[in-house]
């Protein structure tokens, strides 16, 4: 038996809370960093799912072709978004703890497998198979035999996020301030209640409450984050070291670095350019540190990493310096065995025809031509590719070299 008044109150309250929080975050400009974008995406899809589920309850049992189609679409969207929220939540947790894009890229591919399975099942269900849910001729919703799989996938994501937090604690990463259970417990309670008692709506109200609780706790933990670089700050470092004093079995090491002549950047180009340099350096560290490491801005131009890949870091720094301080007077057109390379237009011509190359292929070819007659190492080619802000690993390099051949 569907309780429409309860559903309208519960979902209406949930939709209001989510929309209010989203608009408030936009108003105070919390929309730029990866974690801010991910959190806002969670709010947007939760709002859409709440509306879709409410619509599905309101039109349940109403006869008509349009109602029949809307019933299928609204239930499919609501079911799919519940999986998407679990997926995005895991990525949000990963970034909140490690602030490491290399980890995010690897984890996102693994976590996408259950999401893809759920999407495939929902697409098959749209063909009228009824494996996830079925809509009768009277336009009444009933759960299908494989509906439980979606619940399992959602709970898998919740468990994975808890495992990530626990592993970080075991690795001496400071995460006691991260509100993992403020999100997991309300969501699990809402999911189980609605799963066992059909006809009432509790999932999206509980999800909205979870978002509010997480947001409040994150505002407290922001004191550990450096506003400019997005890295952990000195307060985090001091708190972290105090925790380590109580754990004599852990061997942790780090590396302290600063930006040479940083004051000259501020004095010559202004403090806005200096801030930009710190932001870019923070991004370099996030892409360069090992997957089990964190980067910290101690203050000013001082940074700490524990530990990091020195080769990757140096390559990125050199690339940034080349882009920022390029005082070279090289020829704009290079020639090699009849091929002309216009470095200004980034165009390659051969026998009066333009050769179509990708950006990476062009950079590799340019590096080889500039060093004709010499052996060009993989490291030098990697440095050439790192003239952009995108991360390039050795596998990417091999693929592009093979294409160029």
């Amino acid at each position: 038996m569907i309780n429409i008044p309860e559903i309208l109150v519960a979902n209406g309250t949930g939709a209001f809370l989510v929309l209010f929080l989203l608009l408030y975050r936009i108003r105070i400009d919390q929309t730029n960093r990866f974690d801010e974008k991910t959190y806002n995406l969670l709010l947007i899809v939760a709002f859409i799912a709440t509306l879709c589920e409410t619509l599905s309850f309101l039109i349940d049992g109403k006869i008509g072709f349009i109602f029949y189609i809307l019933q299928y679409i609204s239930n499919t969207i609501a079911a799919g978004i519940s999986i998407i929220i679990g997926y995005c939540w895991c990525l949000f947790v990963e970034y909140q703890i490690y602030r490491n894009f290399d980890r995010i890229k690897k984890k996102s591919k693994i976590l996408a497998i259950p999401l893809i399975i759920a999407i495939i099942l929902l697409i098959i269900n749209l063909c009228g198979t009824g494996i996830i849910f079925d809509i009768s001729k009277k336009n009444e919703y009933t759960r299908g035999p494989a509906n439980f799989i979606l619940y399992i996938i959602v709970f898998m994501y919740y468990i994975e996020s808890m495992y990530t937090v626990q592993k970080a604690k075991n690795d001496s990463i400071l995460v006691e301030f991260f509100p993992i259970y403020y999100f997991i417990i309300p969501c699990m309670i809402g999911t189980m209640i609605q799963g066992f008692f059909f006809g009432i709506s509790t999932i999206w109200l509980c999800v909205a409450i979870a978002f509010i609780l997480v947001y409040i706790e994150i505002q407290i933990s922001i004191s550990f984050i450096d506003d400019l670089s997005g890295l952990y700050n000195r307060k985090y470092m001091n708190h972290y070291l105090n925790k380590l004093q109580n754990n004599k079995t852990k061997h942790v090491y780090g590396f302290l670095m600063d930006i040479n002549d940083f004051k000259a950047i501020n004095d010559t180009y202004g403090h806005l350019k200096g801030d930009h340099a710190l932001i870019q350096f923070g991004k370099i560290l996030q892409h360069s540190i090992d997957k089990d490491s964190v980067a910290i801005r101690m203050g000013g131009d001082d940074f700490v990493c524990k530990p990091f890949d020195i080769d990757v870091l140096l390559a990125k720094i050199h690339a940034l310096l080349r882009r920022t301080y390029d005082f070279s007077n090289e020829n704009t057109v290079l020639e090699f065995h009849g091929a002309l390379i216009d470095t200004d237009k980034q165009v390659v011509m051969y026998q009066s025809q333009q050769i179509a190359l990708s950006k990476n292929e062009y950079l590799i070819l340019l590096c080889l031509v500039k060093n004709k007659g010499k052996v060009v190492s993989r490291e030098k080619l990697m440095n050439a590719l790192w003239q952009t802000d995108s991360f390039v690993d050795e596998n990417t390099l091999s693929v592009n070299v093979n294409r160029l051949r």
Side-chain angles (χ1 to χ4, degrees), residues 2-19:
I2 297 177
N3 189 339
I4 295 297
E6 182 276 335
I7 290 168
L8 290 177
V9 171
N11 282 3
T13 304
F16 172 78
L17 291 175
V18 168
L19 184 61

Side-chain angles (χ1 to χ4, degrees), residues 155-224:
F155 275 83
M156 282 174 56
Y157 282 132
Y158 293 159
I159 293 170
E160 197 284 332
S161 65
M162 289 189 291
Y163 169 78
T164 298
V165 172
Q166 188 58 48
K167 183 178 184 302
K169 288 182 178 180
N170 295 338
D171 293 340
S172 296
I173 303 296
L174 184 62
V175 293
E176 64 264 21
F177 56 83
F178 186 76
I180 181 72
Y181 296 108
Y182 284 78
F183 183 84
I184 297 297
I185 293 176
C187 290
M188 282 188 168
I189 291 174
T191 302
M192 288 189 294
I193 292 175
Q194 189 162 330
F196 288 121
F197 303 100
F198 177 74
I200 63 173
S201 179
T202 56
I203 290 179
W204 301 112
L205 175 59
C206 289
V207 168
I209 293 173
F211 281 137
I212 297 291
L213 294 175
V214 168
Y215 183 75
I216 293 172
E217 287 299 309
I218 286 178
Q219 298 316 296
I220 298 173
S221 69
I222 280 178
S223 62
F224 288 95

Side-chain angles (χ1 to χ4, degrees), residues 368-384:
L368 293 173
V369 171
K370 284 183 177 180
N371 294 275
K372 57 184 177 182
K374 303 177 183 177
V375 175
V376 181
S377 65
R378 293 180 67 87
E379 288 73 18
K380 195 161 190 173
L381 290 177
M382 293 279 278
N383 286 340

